[in-house]
Amino acid sequence: MSKLSLAYIFQQQQLLVDENFQLPQVEQLASDLNIGTGDQVIARDLLENESIPEGLQLVPIRQLLQVWNVRQFEQASRAIQLLEWRRNHKFCSHCGSATEVHASEYAMVCPACVYHQYPRVNPCVITVITRGEDEILLAKNAKNARQMYGLIAGFVEVGETLEDAVRRETEEEVGLKVNNIQYLASQPWPFPSNLMIAFKAEYASGELQLQEEEISDAAFFKFDALPEIPFKGSIAHSMIMHVIHGTQVADDTQAWL
């Protein structure tokens, strides 16, 4: 009998788990992506025409943020991002030839020109901005139909420091200048392949001027009068709790606060 592998089996942004949100164990296939470093841990895609095994269910990975600890979520994030990378690099970006999976590295290799394509992550800054002792800036994403308010966030541009990205995104999206920028934490965010880098900053000057294609509303809220905010498990929720209650933004052994 062959040894079973712990399996991250995805269908788009959903993961196959049992009723207790635990991963299945399966026989490894040749097409599986090995993501373990000792124990057998694999990742694979569940095709649209494949049936869901009895006793298992597809659960959105965002939902698992609220029931898994940091290490579990980060492993799942690694798995889904590697699958996404392999799926998107079946052909060489230099010469167009079909690529092959490297035998021992995470690399898609072109047999024609020997170009190697490695996994990439997109760095994003996310910033919690305070004013005075008891106010926090929250903004509503114009592309999200929900009423939830979140934090200012955006991708880091080429040639830009993380602190520069914080300043630029804040000024672009809400027209404000900030100072006292401090790093807090980071979190893999597999939607599809981002690394969220958390900062806190203080309001320095300016009046709210919204970038309407990105932000539909923004305001400074009192700590005791917050609107709907991001769900527990997201780094945004953890950052908000940090400035209000002084809790840690991340803990390696606990769920995101």
Side-chain angles (χ1 to χ4, degrees):
M1 182 176 179
S2 60
K3 186 176 180 180
L4 298 180
S5 297
L6 197 66
Y8 291 88
I9 303 176
F10 291 94
Q11 189 173 93
Q12 298 179 357
Q13 291 289 336
Q14 298 184 97
L15 180 63
L16 208 58
V17 293
D18 65 18
E19 60 182 9
N20 297 314
F21 302 106
Q22 299 301 304
L23 298 172
Q25 292 193 348
V26 301
E27 290 189 11
Q28 190 166 355
L29 304 177
S31 59
D32 289 340
L33 187 62
N34 194 326
I35 63 169
T37 54
D39 293 333
Q40 285 186 299
V41 184
I42 60 96
R44 74 170 63 147
D45 287 311
L46 181 70
L47 303 179
E48 294 288 345
N49 59 355
E50 288 187 88
S51 60
I52 297 174
E54 186 176 353
L56 299 178
Q57 59 182 329
L58 283 170
V59 175
I61 190 171
R62 288 176 185 268
Q63 183 178 331
L64 295 172
L65 265 170
Q66 303 173 63
V67 295
W68 279 5
N69 63 34
V70 173
R71 185 174 181 181
Q72 287 174 302
F73 177 74
E74 288 183 348
Q75 180 85 306
S77 174
R78 175 180 172 82
I80 195 171
Q81 289 180 69
L82 285 172
L83 286 172
E84 179 83 6
W85 155 75
R86 188 176 68 172
R87 196 181 307 121
N88 291 339
H89 291 83
K90 293 180 178 180
F91 296 92
C92 178
S93 61
H94 279 194
C95 69
S97 300
T99 56
E100 299 173 350
V101 179
H102 193 284
S104 60
E105 298 179 350
Y106 290 126
M108 300 298 285
V109 183
C110 176
C113 69
V114 202
Y115 180 64
H116 287 48
Q117 297 177 124
Y118 295 96
R120 296 286 186 269
V121 295
N122 305 307
C124 304
V125 293
I126 180 169
T127 310
V128 57
I129 300 168
T130 58
R131 185 173 68 178
E133 298 296 323
D134 64 346
E135 288 187 315
I136 182 173
L137 178 69
L138 297 173
K140 189 188 298 184
N141 191 319
K143 300 172 184 177
N144 193 332
R146 295 182 59 188
Q147 296 302 306
M148 181 181 71
Y149 283 75
L151 303 177
I152 301 300
F155 291 102
V156 180
E157 295 186 351
V158 173
E160 188 174 53
T161 68
L162 299 177
E163 292 81 3
D164 286 343
V166 168
R167 297 184 189 96
R168 175 185 52 76
E169 284 291 340
T170 304
E171 193 161 2
E172 284 181 357
E173 294 194 350
V174 292
L176 302 180
K177 293 186 180 297
V178 295
N179 57 19
N180 296 332
I181 299 170
Q182 299 178 47
Y183 170 79
L184 292 176
S186 62
Q187 182 186 37
W189 196 244
F191 305 105
S193 187
N194 303 335
L195 176 65
M196 304 302 295
I197 307 164
F199 290 88
K200 66 178 178 179
E202 296 176 1
Y203 165 81
S205 63
E207 298 294 330
L208 285 169
Q209 295 181 352
L210 307 186
Q211 186 181 26
E212 294 182 356
E213 63 270 25
E214 297 290 338
I215 305 295
S216 61
D217 189 33
F220 282 97
F221 293 88
K222 294 290 186 180
F223 287 176
D224 59 358
L226 298 182
E228 181 185 352
I229 63 173
F231 55 83
K232 182 179 180 181
S234 65
I235 197 169
H237 182 278
S238 181
M239 294 166 67
I240 293 169
M241 294 300 102
H242 168 72
V243 299
I244 294 176
H245 301 297
T247 53
Q248 291 186 350
V249 176
D251 186 308
D252 288 340
T253 60
Q254 302 295 324
W256 291 92
L257 303 176

